[in-house]
């Protein structure tokens, strides 16, 4: 028995994996990873995989990065953790100062949670609570875009719209307003991204005009709807949204959990629209992909609405046990140092251009409807019929064939349904990008070559997060 096999058997006897139908592992091998280095992961049999998705979009500077490792080690020797209520520590203070300085102007306070979904909950609760404290208790509802994803906890699911994750739990969720997404994949032929995104804003304007008296906040994933299939839109939508939220007295929550820290080509996606949201949520790459942590930044206006004598009960009495963990803060500080010292945003421009060139030919593939890109995120949408963008039935799991081919070739590509995407760590080389483009291209050929027969049950999800 191989080493992989032995670990897999021990694993499958006791673990329940995330976002997985465990029965799949009767056929699909589980890959136990022994070590990581740079863009590479290595399994227990010594096979290497190029991590093209940054381990679920968190890793930006490679695995076992010496600079991040050193910072965490040093922190470990002085303080591993202390509660953040009534106490504080150097890394959390330094990190908060630097996040306030780096994020769009006007964001002056940082509240921490320990994962992205919890960060979303914090922003939703703070917005709701702000309006109560301000004597506007009728503002209780949230507006979200179709095809959004904001995490897995109850309220985060409520503002999400990826059917696979939320449909089952519908009876448990908050009632939200869903507005059609500015997603440019769906634009009519010949219409630019900008014109389409601008035109789609009419739906948002309409909802805000009609219901602003009962709306606390609008929540969006700026520029890229990640788990919904790496769908993209133009920054003009965010500019219009900021202006309308101001006009109607509604908060704007920017979920930059996936897109923050350079993914869209700027450090934060909101910069491309020149806007400051009322809440900005960061996680994933915040710690370089090392440790779970989320930061929720907000304005002085929001902060002041909670600042009063204790007996007024206006305080935000929300806590996560590991709030502001010093080791996670140390990882984040080292990550910010690398962004600064290596001029990463500047260097990524060349890498992003290279990625675009390496994948451009895929647009001519008979089963590819679109190759789209925003900065260091590139997505390739496979379809059954290119002429009218007819999607493959989700039950056919075309992406799974790409996933399996990539593993055999030594790459970790984990499509979202029929959307193959590259979200590589920024330490990737042009040659490694070429390798990924080649593997993706071969995988797409294999996945789209022949008819797949499946027993199709009625209904079902439109897109999904697992290697469909
Ligand atoms: C990953 C993600 C989340 C949820 O973060 P977790 O840490 O997985 O809870 C929320 N929003 C977006 C846009 C994400 O990509």
């Amino acid at each position: 028995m191989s080493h992989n096999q032995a670990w897999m058997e021990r694993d499958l006897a006791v673990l329940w994996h995330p976002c997985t139908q465990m029965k799949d592992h009767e056929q699909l091998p589980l890959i136990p990873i022994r070590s990581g280095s740079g863009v590479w992961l290595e399994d227990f049999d010594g096979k290497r995989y190029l991590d093209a998705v940054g381990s679920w979009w968190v890793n930006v500077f490679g695995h076992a990065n010496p600079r991040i490792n050193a910072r965490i080690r040093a922190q470990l020797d002085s303080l591993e953790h202390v509660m953040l209520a009534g106490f504080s520590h150097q890394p959390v203070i330094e990190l908060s100062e630097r996040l306030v300085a780096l994020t769009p102007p006007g964001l002056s306070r940082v509240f921490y949670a320990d994962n992205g979904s919890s960060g979303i909950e914090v922003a939703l609760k703070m917005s709701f609570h702000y309006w109560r404290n301000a004597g506007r208790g009728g503002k209780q509802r949230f507006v979200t875009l179709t095809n959004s994803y904001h995490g897995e906890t109850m309220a985060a699911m409520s503002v999400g719209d990826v059917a696979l994750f939320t449909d089952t739990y519908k009876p448990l969720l908050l009632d939200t307003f869903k507005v059609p997404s500015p997603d440019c994949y769906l634009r009519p032929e010949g219409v630019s991204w900008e014109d389409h995104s601008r035109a789609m804003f009419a739906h948002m304007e309409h909802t805000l005009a009609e219901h602003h008296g009962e709306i606390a906040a609008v929540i969006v994933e700026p520029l890229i709807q990640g788990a919904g299939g790496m769908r993209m839109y133009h920054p003009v939508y965010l500019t219009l949204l900021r202006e309308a939220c101001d006009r109607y007295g509604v908060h704007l929550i920017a979920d930059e959990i996936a897109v923050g820290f350079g993914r869209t080509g700027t450090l934060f996606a909101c910069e491309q629209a020149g806007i400051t949201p009322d809440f900005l949520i960061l996680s994933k790459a915040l710690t370089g992909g090392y440790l779970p942590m989320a930061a929720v930044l907000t304005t002085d206006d929001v902060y002041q609405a909670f600042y009063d004598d204790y007996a007024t009960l206006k305080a935000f009495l929300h806590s996560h046990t590991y709030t502001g963990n010093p080791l996670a803060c140390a990882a984040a500080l080292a990550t910010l140092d690398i962004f600064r010292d290596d001029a990463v945003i500047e260097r990524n421009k060349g890498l992003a251009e290279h990625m675009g060139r390496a994948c451009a030919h895929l647009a001519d593939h008979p089963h590819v409807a679109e190759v789209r890109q925003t900065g260091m995120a590139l997505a390739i949408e496979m379809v059954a019929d290119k002429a009218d963008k007819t999607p493959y039935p989700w039950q056919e799991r075309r992406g799974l064939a790409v996933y399996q081919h990539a593993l055999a070739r030594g790459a970790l590509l984990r499509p979202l349904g029929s959307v193959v995407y590259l979200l590589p760590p920024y330490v990737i080389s042009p040659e490694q990008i070429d390798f990924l483009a080649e593997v993706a291209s071969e995988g797409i050929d294999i996945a789209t070559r022949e008819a797949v027969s499946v027993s199709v049950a009625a209904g079902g999800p439109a897109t999904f997060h697992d290697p469909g």
Side-chain angles (χ1 to χ4, degrees):
M1 196 188 327
S2 77
H3 295 290
N4 276 0
Q5 187 77 21
W7 283 109
M8 178 171 95
E9 285 181 13
R10 283 174 63 179
D11 175 299
L12 293 178
V14 287
L15 267 94
W16 189 340
H17 287 267
C19 205
T20 300
Q21 170 48 267
M22 293 299 291
K23 189 168 189 285
D24 278 357
H25 284 305
E26 288 179 10
Q27 271 90 46
L28 196 65
L30 179 79
I31 318 248
I33 294 298
R34 175 173 57 194
S35 62
S37 174
V39 297
W40 296 100
L41 293 165
E42 186 173 330
D43 71 19
F44 279 81
D45 291 333
K47 184 171 170 65
R48 302 208 304 160
Y49 309 87
L50 205 165
D51 189 354
V53 298
S55 287
W56 264 350
W57 324 346
V58 297
N59 192 294
V60 283
F61 295 131
H63 297 279
N65 182 292
R67 288 190 268 177
I68 305 175
N69 287 7
R71 187 78 174 236
I72 295 173
R73 267 195 213 103
Q75 183 59 41
L76 196 51
D77 285 334
S78 60
L79 178 68
E80 81 301 330
H81 186 67
V82 62
M83 61 192 279
L84 203 66
F87 290 79
S88 193
H89 53 83
Q90 184 176 343
V92 81
I93 295 168
E94 286 179 0
L95 178 61
S96 306
E97 287 170 350
R98 288 180 69 178
L99 289 176
V100 165
L102 285 168
T103 51
L107 295 170
S108 55
R109 288 281 160 185
V110 194
F111 191 97
Y112 291 92
D114 36 28
N115 61 75
S117 304
S118 302
I120 296 291
E121 303 276 334
V122 166
L124 296 174
K125 282 177 70 177
M126 270 186 184
S127 174
F128 168 88
H129 197 160
Y130 169 95
W131 294 114
R132 251 181 109 83
N133 283 355
R136 303 284 308 277
K139 289 166 80 69
Q140 304 191 347
R141 295 181 65 187
F142 299 101
V143 181
T144 179
L145 297 174
T146 53
N147 199 39
S148 291
Y149 178 82
H150 296 290
E152 305 287 355
T153 53
M154 294 291 183
M157 266 198 293
S158 302
V159 291
D161 183 45
V162 179
L164 178 76
F165 308 137
T166 57
D167 269 7
T168 311
Y169 307 102
K170 235 178 204 151
L172 303 178
L173 304 184
L174 302 172
D175 189 24
T176 55
F177 292 107
K178 290 205 186 347
V179 170
S181 164
D183 178 357
C184 290
Y185 178 69
L186 305 173
R187 74 195 184 282
E189 221 185 302
V191 174
S192 71
W193 280 34
E194 178 167 0
D195 287 348
H196 181 66
S197 295
R198 188 185 289 280
M200 290 305 285
F201 191 75
H203 299 283
M204 180 64 80
E205 177 73 35
H206 181 77
T207 299
L208 290 174
E210 191 114 321
H211 301 288
H212 62 91
E214 50 179 314
I215 294 171
V218 177
I219 180 167
V220 293
E221 291 162 272
L223 302 187
I224 305 178
Q225 295 189 301
M230 296 295 160
R231 295 292 181 82
M232 300 171 184
Y233 60 91
H234 192 276
V236 71
Y237 192 87
L238 298 173
T239 311
L240 294 170
L241 181 58
R242 176 69 277 179
E243 187 276 322
C245 285
D246 286 341
R247 196 153 30 86
Y248 289 114
V250 165
H251 287 144
L252 172 55
I253 303 175
D255 173 357
E256 294 219 20
I257 291 169
V259 295
F261 300 101
R263 188 53 64 183
T264 65
T266 42
L267 191 57
F268 301 106
C270 284
E271 291 170 28
Q272 296 185 38
I275 63 154
T276 298
D278 298 284
F279 298 91
L280 173 71
I281 304 144
L282 306 172
S283 188
K284 292 206 164 105
L286 169 62
T287 62
Y290 268 65
L291 287 157
M293 183 164 74
V296 182
L297 285 99
T298 191
T299 61
D300 191 55
D301 176 45
V302 170
Y303 180 73
Q304 292 302 336
F306 292 78
Y307 196 90
D308 207 339
D309 295 329
Y310 190 83
T312 62
L313 291 180
K314 283 185 174 175
F316 190 60
L317 300 180
H318 178 116
S319 59
H320 295 288
T321 311
Y322 277 101
T323 299
N325 174 260
L327 297 172
C329 290
L333 285 166
T335 300
L336 293 181
D337 282 350
I338 297 174
F339 271 106
R340 182 194 57 206
D341 298 343
D342 293 8
V344 173
I345 299 296
E346 201 46 45
R347 209 173 54 88
N348 277 358
K349 287 186 183 137
L351 280 177
E353 273 168 30
H354 189 91
M355 190 156 74
R357 278 195 302 274
C359 296
H361 69 280
L362 280 163
D364 300 328
H365 192 284
H367 286 286
V368 170
E370 183 176 70
V371 178
R372 53 179 172 269
Q373 183 179 13
T374 298
M376 288 296 284
L378 184 141
I380 305 148
E381 184 120 3
M382 299 189 288
V383 286
D385 187 336
K386 188 169 175 131
D388 56 7
K389 295 185 175 175
T390 308
Y392 282 113
W394 62 270
Q395 296 90 340
E396 293 182 7
R397 308 184 74 181
R398 299 277 176 167
L400 191 55
V402 178
Y403 173 73
Q404 287 178 296
H405 173 74
L407 286 181
R409 291 279 271 116
L412 167 45
L413 283 173
R414 193 180 157 100
L416 294 149
S418 298
V419 179
V420 180
Y421 68 91
L422 306 182
L423 230 84
Y426 307 150
V427 292
I428 195 166
S429 70
E431 295 70 31
Q432 288 166 336
I433 288 174
D434 292 341
F435 167 69
L436 290 179
E438 187 181 303
V439 171
S441 177
E442 294 163 0
I444 290 166
D445 278 342
I446 292 166
T448 60
R449 197 178 298 156
E450 50 208 64
V452 172
S453 75
V454 284
S455 52
V456 175
T463 47
F464 37 95
H465 198 238
D466 77 296

